Amino acid sequence: MKMRFKRFLSGFMAVATLASVIVQPVTVSASELEPETTSFEQQYPELQDVQDTLDEDEIVKAKDIEIPYGEEFEVKVDLSGIEGVNEKKVKVLFHEAKSEAGTDFDAHTPDTYKAVYAVEPVSGHPATE
């Protein structure tokens, strides 16, 4: 009777070990399919929220600019509307340029667009929107 129980227990443990080896990679790969994304607003606070922690030369200001209809304008790289950019102190990253209706920037479509950039200080101080 003891021998049957030992064989049963040995077989049961072998099946349990095999099952755990098969099931473990399935759960790991399933968790990798859905990476968490952080919204732009959560990554980069607005300037007034962190202004007191920045040096004076790490603060940039944007002004409104008008572009004639049809004129080529590279909103991702042209920083002509942003004042105070010292490339040794900050890095400016483009996020988006959209109209109030939510359409992407197009120089051939007359409208008012809002361009959003992130400013990352080289010093490691907090980045801003």
Side-chain angles (χ1 to χ4, degrees):
M1 191 66 124
K2 281 187 177 183
M3 194 60 141
R4 278 185 161 176
F5 178 72
K6 286 182 180 179
R7 282 187 182 175
F8 172 76
L9 185 59
S10 175
F12 178 76
M13 293 189 67
V15 170
T17 303
L18 184 61
S20 70
V21 169
I22 292 171
V23 173
Q24 186 177 7
V26 172
T27 26
V28 171
S29 64
S31 66
E32 293 174 4
L33 294 178
E34 296 179 31
E36 285 189 35
T37 56
T38 306
S39 72
F40 183 79
E41 290 78 17
Q42 289 175 333
Q43 286 180 346
Y44 301 103
E46 292 189 26
L47 177 61
Q48 64 263 20
D49 296 337
V50 294
Q51 188 168 0
D52 57 335
T53 62
L54 298 173
D55 295 335
E56 189 173 321
D57 55 0
E58 294 174 333
I59 297 173
V60 299
K61 297 186 180 188
K63 63 178 182 172
D64 292 342
I65 60 172
E66 288 188 27
I67 302 166
Y69 172 75
E71 183 178 301
E72 292 300 317
F73 183 77
E74 293 292 328
V75 70
K76 294 181 180 180
V77 293
D78 190 337
L79 304 177
S80 59
I82 301 176
E83 300 172 341
V85 176
N86 181 347
E87 293 181 2
K88 293 179 183 176
K89 298 288 183 172
V90 296
K91 184 168 51 169
V92 179
L93 307 170
F94 173 77
H95 173 61
E96 68 180 3
K98 294 191 179 277
S99 68
E100 288 183 20
T103 59
D104 289 330
F105 173 78
D106 181 8
H108 301 287
T109 305
D111 205 341
T112 300
Y113 297 91
K114 178 182 177 185
V116 180
Y117 298 87
V119 179
E120 293 184 346
V122 176
S123 66
H125 289 141
T128 62
E129 175 184 337

